[in-house]
Amino acid sequence: MAHDSHHVTRAGVTTGFARWSAPALAVAWAALVALAVVGRLWRPEWEGTRLWNVTPLVAVALAAGAVFSHRLVAASVPLVALALGNLALPGYSDPWLAAVVYAATAFPVLLGRVAARGRWPALVGSALAGSRVFFLATNLAYWALTDDYPRSAAGLVACFTAALPFFRPLEDLAWTGIVFGGLVAADRLATALHARGHAAAKAPAAPAGRLD
């Protein structure tokens, strides 16, 4: 995946994603999409209570923005994952609401490079920003575009109050730690394997034995 020997800073996240090979990036794209789809659809319950109610989409979008230098390729990760997951879920009641959901889902991609180049506080701040933008944008759109709440200050407050139980930024942080931890581990492993192969290629060949 990587082609140099020092990508991970001691207190930071990583700076080596830009050096990943094309096959490694293709694997990363598929793995991130698969994680987002599975994490969104599979939410196990224990005695009738969901163990978690937050999907890994914020974390995956952040990771895509960190890994892929091309913005459209990076944005395609959460957008494709959202579209695939929606095939098994009820549709949106309004096309403009759907547009807001897709835009808010892709927003953390813009913060991915900040998360990757900075230290852990930057990663935490990026995850919290993505979580808050999604919560605010989607619930504001739901209030404005549906008839479930009156279009008044009281209706807006009621809409956000009803949505508060589903706002769990700590779970977004947990997913972000898991996803970026996996990326860092993969980068370290790839770097070690590359360094080992490079050293083996440079090692002098053993002299051939005499035949006489």
Side-chain angles (χ1 to χ4, degrees):
M1 287 184 179
H3 300 291
D4 63 341
S5 59
H6 184 71
H7 298 310
V8 182
T9 61
R10 184 175 182 182
V13 184
T14 179
T15 59
F17 297 142
R19 298 177 178 87
W20 283 19
S21 65
L25 290 174
V27 171
W29 189 94
L32 289 172
V33 170
L35 174 63
V37 173
V38 173
R40 186 172 178 227
L41 298 180
W42 183 66
R43 287 185 254 179
E45 296 183 355
W46 177 261
E47 296 183 351
T49 302
R50 278 185 175 177
L51 298 181
W52 61 80
N53 198 45
V54 173
T55 73
L57 280 170
V58 169
V60 165
L62 273 177
V67 170
F68 301 101
S69 59
H70 197 291
R71 293 292 192 191
L72 291 180
V73 174
S76 71
V77 172
L79 295 180
V80 169
L82 184 62
L84 291 176
N86 284 343
L87 296 176
L89 296 171
Y92 300 106
S93 59
D94 184 277
W96 288 108
L97 178 60
V100 172
V101 171
Y102 274 85
T105 299
F107 169 77
V109 168
L110 301 176
L111 306 176
R113 292 184 186 177
V114 175
R117 292 174 181 173
R119 298 179 181 273
W120 287 108
L123 180 60
V124 170
S126 298
L128 292 176
S131 181
R132 282 169 169 76
V133 166
F134 185 86
F135 177 79
L136 293 173
T138 55
N139 283 289
L140 182 62
Y142 190 84
W143 167 77
L145 297 172
T146 70
D147 296 325
D148 290 355
Y149 297 94
R151 292 182 178 86
S152 63
L156 181 62
V157 170
C159 178
F160 275 89
T161 300
L164 276 176
F166 303 98
F167 179 53
R168 300 180 181 180
L170 292 181
E171 293 184 14
D172 279 321
L173 285 177
W175 271 117
T176 301
I178 292 170
V179 172
F180 273 83
L183 289 175
V184 169
D187 190 53
R188 284 179 169 172
L189 176 61
T191 299
L193 292 175
H194 177 77
R196 182 178 298 178
H198 189 64
K202 283 190 172 183
R210 294 184 62 181
L211 299 178
D212 57 347

